[in-house]
Amino acid sequence: MLNKTMQKLGEERSVIREIFEYGNRRAAEIGRENVYDFSLGNPSVPSPACVREEIDRLLNTLPPEVLHGYTSAAGAPDVRAAVASYIHESFGVPMDANLVYMTCGAAASLTITLNALAEEGDEFIVLTPYFPEYRVFIERAGAVCREVATDARFHIDIAAIEAAINEHTKGILVNSPNNPTGVVYDEEEFVALGKLLKEKSVSRPIFLIADEPYRELTYGKSVPYPMNYYENTILCYSFSKSLSLAGERIGYIAVSPMATNANDIFSAVAGAGRSLGYVCAPALFQRVCAKCLGRSSDIKEYEKNRELLYSALKEYGFTCIEPDGAFYLFVKSPEPDAKAFAERAKKYELLLVPSDSFGVEGYVRISYCVARSTIERSLPAFQKLAKEYFA
Ligand code: PLP
């Protein structure tokens, strides 16, 4: 009667959402200020001024049928042109506006891209730990999600990827800066990955799908632009995190102009967008983002949060890697079962996400895009939690 796969997906909710909902229930019981919810990656720093200024300007100048009307399915032509020029000027890629498709955030960018590429029997590689929705998106596109481990520092393990590639491999998803580890991949990693994918694209291309919602959120480290290292790249971008516009659902797909049959790939992207109902991304925010390309919310605020939490947790005895980007700390669970550790943390109203849903065991993710005061107030709770393990 119903699509059972969909029903199950709807009923089981993501682990992250589950914890977030628990936090809301707890907040109703004991007060929001007494719950330290580090579950969601919902930006806390205000959007840069250009967002508000452009919204005001558009509201005051555009006629209603343009302001709130449909754009072309792939996006407003001037917005697509602005994105293409930005990519050209910033990263040296001769991007063509006809290869840019405006979307409802990275989730839509990814689902459209996967549906555009996937044929029966195809596999897509994801690098563990990974954003849990990748599996949902890949499987919905009718393909197989193949997990490949990263190295001990959570960087790309070329040998492991090489071992996993087979005749069914259609693509690999990479996410840098990374959720959940905060790792930013180095240029050499992209060089090596590009070389490997080129070698392995024997009978058909293997696509590099670069998921980049955190591109601008880095703490001093530069983020290599994937298209410069491998021609068959499709970039899935989102303004959710960079401009703190997560709820406005806006992003884009850019197909590399160097890709083999780039125009055909774009047609498949447009077809997938059409068949999924992802046409004409939110019109107002397409235009707002076109004026704020490359900008970001005040990264210094996240940097301060990072330093406060990272140094405190280390002092209390926890082990974690210092993140170079995004706004997550990936902390080693002091007991083998990260779920048990996250449960214990709840005793102190600390809401942490166990790493099992990211495809690895033994860690928790702490999202530090929260108010500074939440972090400050949470520190005694972390200290008490640490004492249970390291006293
Ligand atoms: N990809 C990664 C790695 C993410 O962390 C997220 C959101 O947290 C998404 C994709 C989805 O982003 P959006 O809200 O733009 O759909």
Side-chain angles (χ1 to χ4, degrees), residues 104-107 110 131 134 175 179 211 213-214 238 240-241 246 249 328:
C104 297
L110 289 164
F131 179 56
Y134 287 171
N175 166 227
N179 172 10
D211 177 26
Y214 302 97
S238 164
S240 293
K241 317 287 176 169
R249 315 307 302 134
Y328 306 103

Side-chain angles (χ1 to χ4, degrees), residues 175-221:
N175 166 227
S176 171
N178 186 268
N179 172 10
T181 62
V183 162
V184 175
Y185 299 144
D186 302 314
E187 181 168 33
E188 302 85 75
E189 293 176 84
F190 277 102
V191 170
L193 183 61
K195 185 167 168 282
L196 175 70
L197 296 181
K198 209 174 180 133
E199 273 165 25
K200 295 286 176 184
S201 294
V202 185
S203 52
R204 59 176 195 172
I206 297 178
F207 291 94
L208 174 61
I209 302 171
D211 177 26
E212 296 211 334
Y214 302 97
R215 162 158 288 280
E216 291 76 15
L217 304 185
T218 58
Y219 309 109
K221 200 166 169 184

